[in-house]
Amino acid sequence: MKILAIGRNYVDHIEELNNERPSEPVVFTKPETALLKNNQPFYYPSISKDIHYEVEVLLKVCKNGKNIEEKFAHKYYDQIGLGIDFTARDLQTKAKEKGLPWALAKGFNHSAPISEFRPKSDYKDLNSLNFSLDIDGKNVQKGNTSLVLFSFGFIIAYISRYIMLKKGDIIFTGTPKGVGPVQIGNRLEGYLEGEKLLDFEIR
Ligand code: MG
């Protein structure tokens, strides 16, 4: 499987990092070794001094496909989850300054904690899902999928023109504003439509 991710999909987050508003989705990948499941603790790695949390809604791909038309994109994912796109912001900033790739800043070990997935049919309106992240009991990020620049369907159609989607792939769909650093000892709790799906510690 592979992990695909969209950067700069929520306007409020683009503004907080002073990034340019993209005319097309910013796509990056994380390797399978980035996965962290079952609310296992995240061990702060020595490669960075500034690991940031980014809570994101996840799509689980259920069918192989390339050059998918946007109107059929909904057939290619059947489950929704919640994840953290951990980012070594210090490494990413250095890479951005030099115009270099984000592979290490975004793809280091366990940089992609994911929740259990729920059938998408559990949700009334995928274009208006509330999700949020609390750290040590205090809300730090709050988003709604209606606020994206690029819809789930558009993202799937766009990516599949370049990279074939395969059953089991996971797509991170972008983060709203409020990103910031984690510290050893923090407890992260992520909610999707009021249900707590993520609950793990930084050690
Ligand atoms: Mg992200």
Side-chain angles (χ1 to χ4, degrees), residues 35 38 46-47 49 52 95 118 200:
L35 289 176
N38 304 318
S46 58
I47 50 126
K49 299 255 175 303
H52 278 206
R118 300 274 180 263
F200 67 96

Side-chain angles (χ1 to χ4, degrees), residues 17 57 62 80 87 90 96-97 117 124 128 134 152 164 172 189 198 200:
L17 290 190
V57 172
C62 60
I80 305 287
T87 303
D90 44 358
K96 276 184 185 172
E97 283 166 5
F117 283 79
K124 208 167 55 206
S128 182
D134 290 0
F152 296 162
M164 181 175 175
F172 278 66
E189 295 167 284
L198 288 172
F200 67 96

Side-chain angles (χ1 to χ4, degrees), residues 5-9 13 28 30 53-56 84-87 89 92 102 106 172-176 179:
I6 304 298
R8 302 181 192 172
N9 201 20
H13 172 62
F28 59 92
K30 290 176 185 258
Y53 56 81
E54 298 186 357
V55 69
E56 311 201 0
I84 305 290
D85 168 20
F86 274 133
T87 303
R89 198 70 76 200
Q92 190 197 27
W102 302 354
K106 288 285 197 181
F172 278 66
T173 59
T175 200
V179 303

Side-chain angles (χ1 to χ4, degrees), residues 18-83:
N18 288 317
N19 281 321
E20 217 174 286
R21 201 178 167 129
S23 54
E24 293 185 311
V26 175
V27 181
F28 59 92
T29 64
K30 290 176 185 258
E32 189 173 354
T33 44
L35 289 176
L36 182 63
K37 296 180 185 172
N38 304 318
N39 285 317
Q40 299 259 58
F42 173 83
Y43 288 89
Y44 204 106
S46 58
I47 50 126
S48 171
K49 299 255 175 303
D50 195 23
I51 304 274
H52 278 206
Y53 56 81
E54 298 186 357
V55 69
E56 311 201 0
V57 172
L58 309 180
L59 312 178
K60 173 83 80 75
V61 174
C62 60
K63 197 160 103 160
N64 297 2
K66 49 184 170 182
N67 295 313
I68 298 164
E69 282 185 62
E70 190 175 343
K71 65 181 173 192
F72 297 128
H74 63 96
K75 299 184 175 188
Y76 287 82
Y77 67 99
D78 63 351
Q79 296 181 76
I80 305 287
L82 204 59

